[in-house]
Amino acid sequence: MNLSGALIYLVSTLTDLYVTAILLRLLLQWVRADFYNPLSQFLIKVTNPVLVPARRLIPSIGRLDTASVVVMLLLELVQLVFVNLLSKSDYGFQFLLLFAVQKLLIALLLTYFVLIIAMVLVSWFARSSRHPLIPLIYQLTEPVLRPIQKLLPPLGGIDLSPLFALIALRALLLLLGW
């Protein structure tokens, strides 16, 4: 039993890390981030072996890199099928597919949750730092925070949009059962 549990943990962790790398690359494309940034270059090099062949088969729809979404979904689905087999569970394919979609949505929301917290911490402690990650954090969180900032401008010089974004993200995570 310990071997299968360890194998499930290992496969799940590695799959989730790779899906997160693809998700970050997709989000960086979406916000048209600086692709000469070292983090962007790292994500490109790590994900290209899978995404370049997938893009030959799956065309983009507008600005959406459909190949990235399909690859993430397939990776999650393969992971769930593998876990299903190792744990000797008998979940149907439709359940596993819906669960894979749910896991991707949760990953997206958690990514933004962490990015917003990182942005707040950077604004408090390292605003003048020249670390290459800092501009990417601001670029990634801006599309989520901008609509809130339009509705609720800074009060007395304090921007409360990250607080309301975190509350909304947490509510969505609760709706998804996380």
Side-chain angles (χ1 to χ4, degrees), residues 39-149:
L39 179 66
S40 298
Q41 288 296 310
F42 168 77
L43 291 172
I44 289 169
K45 287 180 181 163
V46 167
T47 58
N48 262 354
V50 173
L51 292 182
V52 169
R55 286 185 179 144
R56 289 186 194 124
L57 301 171
I58 307 164
S60 294
I61 300 173
R63 283 184 54 201
L64 178 65
D65 182 13
T66 316
S68 295
V69 175
V70 170
V71 167
M72 287 188 297
L73 186 60
L74 286 175
L75 285 171
E76 288 290 356
L77 194 55
V78 167
Q79 173 196 352
L80 290 171
V81 167
F82 181 78
V83 169
N84 194 33
L85 290 173
L86 275 180
S87 63
K88 295 181 175 72
S89 300
D90 193 22
Y91 295 109
F93 182 76
Q94 290 176 334
F95 174 81
L96 294 177
L97 182 61
L98 286 174
F99 191 48
V101 170
Q102 180 187 20
K103 281 188 69 179
L104 282 179
L105 289 172
I106 289 170
L108 175 67
L109 296 173
L110 283 174
T111 299
Y112 270 108
F113 198 88
V114 169
L115 285 170
I116 290 171
I117 289 174
M119 188 224 42
V120 168
L121 291 174
V122 163
S123 73
W124 289 347
F125 301 114
R127 190 147 186 95
S128 62
S129 174
R130 297 212 184 273
H131 194 280
L133 184 61
I134 293 174
L136 293 181
I137 292 172
Y138 280 99
Q139 286 177 312
L140 286 168
T141 56
E142 194 262 337
V144 173
L145 297 177
R146 185 181 14 167
I148 300 169
Q149 290 167 340

Side-chain angles (χ1 to χ4, degrees), residues 2-38:
N2 283 341
L3 181 62
S4 66
L7 197 55
I8 288 171
Y9 168 76
L10 187 61
V11 168
S12 296
T13 300
L14 292 175
T15 305
D16 289 343
L17 285 172
Y18 200 72
V19 166
T20 301
I22 295 171
L23 177 63
L24 284 171
R25 179 177 173 163
L26 179 68
L27 293 174
L28 289 170
Q29 287 174 287
W30 182 53
V31 298
R32 295 188 173 132
D34 175 19
F35 275 90
Y36 294 106
N37 186 298

